[in-house]
Amino acid sequence: MLAKPKWAATLMLAVAGIASSTAADATAAPVAGQAVVGRPFGIASVSVPLSGVTPIDPELFSLSEANGRALYPVFQAGGAARRVLGQLLGAGIENLPPREVTVSFLFVGDEPLNLTVHTPAPVAFTLRPQLPNRRADDRLLGQWWRQYHAASQQRASEGDYPPLVETYLSSMLAGRLGLETPLLQRRGGNDTQHEALKTLELLAGAESLHMQVIRETMLGQSDLGQLADQPVPDDVLWQQPAIEVNEQVAIEPIAALVPPECFYIRFGKFSNYLWMNRLTRDYGGDLANMIAGRGLDRQMTAGIERQLAVKYNELSELVGDQVVNDLALIGRDTFFNSGAAFGLLFEAKNAFLFQTSVQQERAAVLAREKENGATEQSIEIAGRKVSLLSTPDNRIRSFFAAHENYRLITSSRAIVERFYAVIDGEQSLAQTPEYVYTRAYMPLEREDTIFIYLPSAFFRGLVSPQYQIELTRRMKAEADIELLRLARLTARNEGSPAQSIDELVAGGFLPREFGRRPDGSGPIEAGDTILDSRRGARGSFLPIPDVELTAVTRDEAFNYAQRAQFYRENWQQMDPLVVGIRRYSLEQDGADKGLERLVIDANVAPFAEQKYGWIMSLLGPPTNERITTAPGDIISLQASVRGGLLSPNVPPHHLFLGIQDSVPATDLKPGGLLKTLRMLQTTPGYLGAWPKPGFLDWLPLGLAGEPDIYGFSQLPLGLWRRQFEGFSVLSFNRDVLAHVTDYLDPVPAENAAQIRLHVGDLSTSQLSAWVNAMLFERASQASAGNVQLMHTLTSQLGVPAAEAKETAEQLLGAKLICPLGGEYELVALEGGAEIWRSTAWLPGPNGESPVADYQATLLEWFRGLDAGLTKEADRLFVHAELDMQRKPSEPKPALPLFNFNLFGGGSKPSGDGKSEAKPAESESPKPRATNSKGPRDF
């Protein structure tokens, strides 16, 4: 798909109307083509003349055969070299109308092909296959495969969705046709990469790993059919840091019931929890959506509420703090998109009222989910009665445990077991030296709105054999579910039997031994749902601590032994992470309504620097000096750096960067080498170093020649340099360079730090239009990617266009959303073709581009940021102040006199967004070094 603002596709629809009005003439247009009979597929290529009214757009082009015999088409515009050159140079040549379009495809049988090519006007013709011809067959097949792979790679790189369809089809077709088997992914894999990076990729569920699993499974390179006959490997022998805390430290009571291997997110007040919940709902559910619109909604918050059978309503906001004394989110992992081991721990002020409320909601969920197999049973754990509300597929898996005034609602039996073990005398999080040490420098008196603590035991658990091996197995189980669904669609499109796995394996749609994993698990069907026999439904797999690991394969044992050796030799210990977030209202005398400041303090302590290698070695010593920023800087970043392990000869120095608040001289939309260079040249920014050039010496500064009497010299490509008093400053704009260098000066800083960052209010800056346009491009590409996915399902897998959106959401386990704010709709063109588009692509009433009405999410809430990072001998900490504009909330409902229900049984769903928690703190924030309009000193 061409990278362009997708509202242009709407203009093409208008053109399509013109083209379809001449369909009779188009039908009679001369068509050149060739088809060669083959087994299992014949190969054909057809060139269709175009009227020259529109560039190629994949969503508007399709191929059909009267009997469904044409398969796996790929379209190629005529004059491709001209368009490639235009994309490289950014000269607009790629938008010139092509003279023809060539479609290559596979087909079955040897009878004449009754074809219709929609361009989007229908072009109908008959193509008679030739007898097998080895040379022609090889030539056409090679041409089709190169184009097919290139188109798949482009879709994979430009889409905002995992390239499941492209990876499956490329691997499946390569295996059946004996062709090269490329791995389609947006990021290249590296088998020799750092073991720590491999661990992070696995923990993050990296898309590249997921696509690699699909490819290896399809090519028979996975563990299908292997035996799990090896003992479980030993865990890493971690070292415990020596920590001494001599003073008495106040610890909140709820921490005394938290197992020491769990992450711990304490809200303190129920209203703080509601504030966070509202924040995520207001801006798309996660941090990524708050910065740039995404095309997929995995409905994480709704999934958490569904699995635990809890939710809240407006009434909760009014009386929650009167019923709940303290609240924490705890867990062994954060795999909320696949099935996490987590829970909510409450300290109730009124245990009876709280218990009654929870039981009412669980009864309502049980009645609602009865037809899906929901049951509630009383089970015994550690000698206590615990309620388990669950469904067979684990979509609902909610343990409800009680102790005195505390109530735990969790998805994991293992967490319940450890909860009661702590109550029975085993060490709690509050008793660990790490946590006592943390509370010494992050005391309760801070009254954090959100307090986040990730202990070293939590990180050690993620690297344990249980987690590392089961995570890999879980990824393979998810891939099997996806592959079975894709294989069914593909087989039906080819007219092959698709009822059983054996039939799909016999047809080449799935590999041999498919579904026979070493742990005895495999995909099974429950109605229209495909489950893993051991873990349940995708998105709500059995929590990893609840999966029994009794034996492993030789490959699993070998891979974990390598990973354990790396950590044993290079890391020895894990570092705990703590983050405290306090929020303050910035409203004054009714003005700045909804404006808030988040004060964020993040610490890694104790901190062992050596394990992070060359990355941390680049930080210079903490410095009490900073470089003054120039008037008009909207963004400034400065750091104390040195060459470290990367370049030991580079001495410590200040490196600083600034961007002026001025209108860029161009639209700055990157596209090709020349446009990228132009973007750099027109950015009103500068880069400098003091008191030595330091890393700037890596640039060919010697080409600049001797500076003039003012210290200016010019390098190739229009880059200017100015040298004075130990400063070396670069900019593509001489006027910017002259302006900013008059103000640069080292001055004392209030606090020592290595990195300082300031970002002003972009929403009111002269850069706002550029930022909005850039984020519009990103959102537009994500919006278009979803449409391309639906088009791919129809063109490659034969899914009816009307079913494409639902099928795509089933495959991805997520809702397709248009980040431009529109709705996806199916549009019928005059020639019979149907295409998907977003209503956000439509021009305005006066024909203006939709970008004119687009407001980037980032500009809606972001109002400024100041941050500083400091690394000391055994501690790394960050202090940040983030100003944000909250969405207005509607008045809260009046408090009724009856029917109290904390979690809203029978009430409106939590996603209605009609109210907001009262701010946790109404006092003014602490004074800052400078006023809110200028840089803040750290």
Side-chain angles (χ1 to χ4, degrees):
M1 175 170 45
L2 300 179
K4 59 179 180 300
K6 290 310 298 179
W7 57 266
T10 304
L11 303 181
M12 295 179 189
L13 294 179
V15 174
I18 300 173
S20 61
S21 67
T22 60
D25 296 334
T27 308
V31 173
Q34 184 180 10
V36 179
V37 174
R39 296 291 183 271
F41 299 111
I43 179 72
S45 180
V46 176
S47 295
V48 179
L50 296 175
S51 59
V53 293
T54 177
I56 291 294
D57 194 297
E59 292 92 341
L60 300 177
F61 286 72
S62 62
L63 170 72
S64 62
E65 201 275 333
N67 298 304
R69 293 166 50 213
L71 304 166
Y72 312 115
V74 57
F75 287 86
Q76 184 77 15
R82 158 180 71 169
R83 293 184 298 103
V84 170
L85 180 63
Q87 290 175 335
L88 177 65
L89 299 180
I93 302 175
E94 75 276 12
N95 291 324
L96 294 178
R99 299 183 182 89
E100 64 181 15
V101 61
T102 298
V103 54
S104 300
F105 59 95
L106 304 182
F107 65 91
V108 294
D110 52 11
E111 297 84 7
L113 296 161
N114 297 311
L115 301 167
T116 301
V117 176
H118 291 272
T119 64
V123 180
F125 57 93
T126 298
L127 187 64
R128 299 184 182 279
Q130 303 171 4
L131 293 176
N133 181 315
R134 183 62 180 268
R135 290 186 63 183
D137 184 51
D138 290 347
R139 177 179 58 81
L140 289 173
L141 186 63
Q143 172 184 300
W144 166 81
W145 184 238
R146 287 190 299 272
Q147 294 175 0
Y148 193 84
H149 171 50
S152 297
Q153 184 70 63
Q154 186 175 5
R155 292 195 301 270
S157 64
E158 293 182 354
D160 197 39
Y161 56 87
L164 297 174
V165 178
E166 292 82 2
T167 302
Y168 166 74
L169 288 177
S170 294
S171 301
M172 182 272 296
L173 290 170
R176 291 170 70 184
L177 301 175
L179 299 168
E180 181 186 359
T181 55
L183 174 60
L184 299 171
Q185 59 188 49
R186 282 189 278 271
R187 298 182 300 274
N190 184 0
D191 292 337
T192 62
Q193 68 182 342
H194 201 284
E195 283 291 341
L197 295 180
K198 290 182 180 179
T199 303
L200 288 175
E201 282 194 341
L202 182 62
L203 294 175
E207 181 183 289
S208 58
L209 286 183
H210 192 67
M211 295 306 107
Q212 181 178 338
V213 166
I214 288 179
R215 174 178 176 268
E216 290 177 349
T217 299
M218 288 303 302
L219 299 178
Q221 299 171 353
S222 65
D223 58 3
L224 292 175
Q226 293 185 20
L227 296 177
D229 55 2
Q230 303 295 306
V232 177
D234 293 331
D235 202 347
V236 180
L237 295 176
W238 300 100
Q239 295 181 6
Q240 297 292 338
I243 301 175
E244 295 184 7
V245 181
N246 298 322
E247 56 185 299
Q248 292 293 324
V249 179
I251 306 289
E252 65 276 18
I254 196 171
L257 282 81
V258 178
E261 69 275 13
C262 287
F263 72 77
Y264 172 61
I265 303 177
R266 179 183 180 237
F267 299 95
K269 301 177 182 178
F270 193 76
S271 54
N272 290 340
Y273 171 73
L274 296 179
W275 171 83
M276 186 200 70
N277 193 297
R278 171 68 188 275
L279 176 64
T280 57
R281 286 188 292 118
D282 279 350
Y283 298 105
D286 58 40
L287 181 62
N289 275 324
M290 291 183 68
I291 298 174
R294 306 298 302 273
L296 299 178
D297 179 9
R298 299 193 180 277
Q299 301 180 304
M300 188 175 70
T301 300
I304 292 173
E305 294 178 349
R306 183 202 66 233
Q307 190 166 40
L308 293 187
V310 298
K311 62 181 178 179
Y312 72 88
N313 63 358
E314 292 92 340
L315 190 56
S316 307
E317 301 190 14
L318 287 168
V319 297
D321 286 339
Q322 281 70 54
V323 177
V324 176
N325 189 55
D326 206 346
L327 165 64
L329 176 66
I330 67 173
R332 295 282 303 277
D333 58 65
T334 57
F335 305 136
F336 296 109
N337 288 331
S338 57
F342 72 105
L344 289 168
L345 178 60
F346 298 87
E347 180 186 2
K349 289 182 179 179
N350 187 323
F352 173 78
L353 191 57
F354 185 93
Q355 180 103 2
T356 301
S357 171
V358 172
Q359 289 174 340
Q360 287 178 354
E361 174 61 17
R362 293 169 75 84
V365 171
L366 177 63
R368 188 167 60 245
E369 295 286 341
K370 198 77 173 180
E371 60 182 20
N372 295 322
T375 60
E376 185 174 22
Q377 53 186 317
S378 178
I379 62 176
E380 185 172 307
I381 300 179
R384 282 89 161 179
K385 294 295 184 181
V386 175
S387 168
L388 171 60
L389 177 63
S390 64
T391 55
D393 60 3
N394 293 325
R395 286 179 58 257
I396 299 173
R397 182 177 172 86
S398 177
F399 294 87
F400 184 41
H403 173 70
E404 297 178 349
N405 287 338
Y406 293 93
R407 298 295 184 270
L408 173 66
I409 307 174
T410 176
S411 64
S412 171
R413 180 187 177 103
I415 289 181
V416 178
E417 292 171 349
R418 295 288 295 128
F419 171 70
Y420 283 126
V422 166
I423 291 171
D424 290 337
E426 293 195 18
Q427 186 184 50
S428 70
L429 180 72
Q431 296 170 324
T432 61
E434 278 183 1
Y435 192 73
V436 177
Y437 176 74
T438 296
R439 274 307 187 191
Y441 67 84
M442 296 281 282
L444 290 176
E445 289 77 12
R446 290 169 47 93
E447 296 186 351
D448 290 299
T449 305
I450 303 176
F451 178 81
I452 304 170
Y453 184 69
L454 281 64
S456 59
F458 167 75
F459 292 111
R460 292 197 297 268
L462 295 178
V463 187
S464 67
Q466 173 81 26
Y467 263 85
Q468 291 290 293
I469 292 173
E470 173 56 23
L471 268 175
T472 303
R473 291 181 175 182
R474 174 185 281 204
M475 187 175 290
K476 292 175 179 178
E478 185 174 0
D480 284 352
I481 292 173
E482 294 163 346
L483 288 174
L484 180 55
R485 195 179 298 278
L486 285 166
R488 285 247 163 84
L489 294 172
T490 306
R492 289 168 184 164
N493 187 42
E494 290 190 19
S496 298
Q499 292 304 311
S500 68
I501 290 178
D502 289 341
E503 289 175 332
L504 295 170
V505 171
F509 303 103
L510 290 173
R512 289 181 297 176
E513 306 291 340
F514 178 80
R516 301 175 185 176
R517 294 292 180 184
D519 61 353
S521 67
I524 57 174
E525 290 187 280
D528 295 332
T529 305
I530 301 177
L531 311 174
D532 180 77
S533 59
R534 189 174 192 185
R535 296 167 181 85
R538 187 181 61 164
S540 55
F541 278 165
L542 192 67
I544 289 177
D546 293 5
V547 178
E548 186 179 9
L549 182 65
T550 57
V552 301
T553 67
R554 292 183 182 275
D555 286 347
E556 289 172 334
F558 175 78
N559 291 335
Y560 187 77
Q562 281 191 314
R563 194 152 297 176
Q565 181 180 358
F566 167 82
Y567 285 106
R568 185 168 56 250
E569 295 177 353
N570 297 279
W571 281 46
Q572 287 93 44
Q573 71 182 53
M574 289 291 188
D575 303 323
L577 170 66
V578 58
V579 180
I581 302 175
R582 290 168 291 166
R583 69 185 177 100
Y584 302 93
S585 172
L586 295 182
E587 297 181 15
Q588 294 183 359
D589 300 326
D592 299 321
K593 188 171 181 59
L595 192 63
E596 295 183 348
R597 174 169 299 151
L598 302 186
V599 179
I600 305 167
D601 293 294
N603 292 263
V604 180
F607 175 70
E609 174 186 344
Q610 64 275 8
K611 72 167 68 73
Y612 301 102
W614 65 269
I615 297 177
M616 294 305 302
S617 74
L618 297 180
L619 283 180
T623 174
N624 287 306
E625 287 183 305
R626 65 181 180 88
I627 307 300
T628 57
T629 56
D633 278 357
I634 187 71
I635 299 174
S636 64
L637 172 66
Q638 49 187 280
S640 170
V641 297
R642 61 187 174 190
L645 298 176
L646 186 63
S647 183
N649 295 327
V650 176
H653 61 285
H654 283 78
L655 194 65
F656 55 90
L657 175 148
I659 296 179
Q660 288 272 289
D661 184 12
S662 61
V663 179
T666 181
D667 61 7
L668 301 187
K669 296 177 182 178
L673 297 179
L674 294 185
K675 280 192 175 181
T676 301
L677 177 60
R678 180 62 178 161
M679 179 180 70
L680 293 174
Q681 291 174 334
T682 56
T683 299
Y686 59 95
L687 174 67
W690 177 87
K692 300 288 185 180
F695 283 117
L696 294 189
D697 276 337
W698 287 7
L699 300 173
L701 299 180
L703 299 178
E706 291 296 323
D708 61 20
I709 60 174
Y710 300 105
F712 288 94
S713 56
Q714 188 171 19
L715 283 79
L717 302 178
L719 183 64
W720 286 89
R721 180 191 190 191
R722 190 179 188 189
Q723 304 168 73
F724 65 99
E725 300 176 359
F727 282 93
S728 180
V729 191
L730 305 173
S731 177
F732 279 104
N733 189 312
R734 192 184 190 282
D735 292 337
V736 168
L737 192 60
H739 167 68
V740 302
T741 50
D742 285 343
Y743 295 93
L744 300 181
D745 192 35
V747 297
E750 184 175 323
N751 298 310
Q754 277 105 335
I755 298 177
R756 295 178 172 89
L757 170 67
H758 167 74
V759 183
D761 185 355
L762 297 175
S763 68
T764 59
S765 73
Q766 298 183 67
L767 288 174
S768 61
W770 170 69
V771 172
N772 197 66
M774 295 296 287
L775 293 175
F776 174 82
E777 288 291 313
R778 172 67 182 83
S780 180
Q781 179 172 305
S783 176
N786 286 344
V787 168
Q788 180 59 65
L789 171 60
M790 292 185 279
H791 178 75
T792 298
L793 290 173
T794 299
S795 64
Q796 301 298 319
L797 298 182
V799 176
E803 302 173 12
K805 184 172 182 290
E806 179 182 357
T807 301
E809 292 176 341
Q810 288 177 343
L811 282 173
L812 300 177
K815 293 290 184 183
L816 298 185
I817 58 174
C818 176
L820 296 175
E823 298 291 335
Y824 293 117
E825 61 180 7
L826 190 62
V827 178
L829 303 181
E830 293 185 29
E834 291 182 309
I835 65 167
W836 284 91
R837 70 174 182 188
S838 170
T839 56
W841 298 355
L842 297 173
N846 299 318
E848 65 270 18
S849 162
V851 71
D853 296 325
Y854 177 74
Q855 177 68 22
T857 302
L858 177 68
L859 297 181
E860 290 182 1
W861 65 267
F862 182 83
R863 294 298 178 264
L865 170 68
D866 285 280
L869 178 146
T870 305
K871 177 177 71 66
E872 296 178 344
D874 63 345
R875 183 182 174 199
L876 179 74
F877 59 92
V878 174
H879 178 81
E881 297 184 15
L882 173 66
D883 292 348
M884 61 188 306
Q885 178 66 55
R886 296 300 305 275
K887 290 185 177 181
S889 58
E890 296 182 4
K892 297 179 177 63
L895 178 63
L897 299 178
F898 57 90
N899 195 29
F900 168 73
N901 188 332
L902 179 63
F903 293 105
S907 67
K908 295 179 181 179
S910 60
D912 58 7
K914 287 193 175 181
S915 58
E916 173 169 307
K918 190 174 182 179
E921 291 129 311
S922 58
E923 69 270 19
S924 300
K926 295 179 180 180
R928 300 190 303 199
T930 60
N931 61 45
S932 61
K933 300 299 182 181
R936 283 162 264 185
D937 192 12
F938 292 92

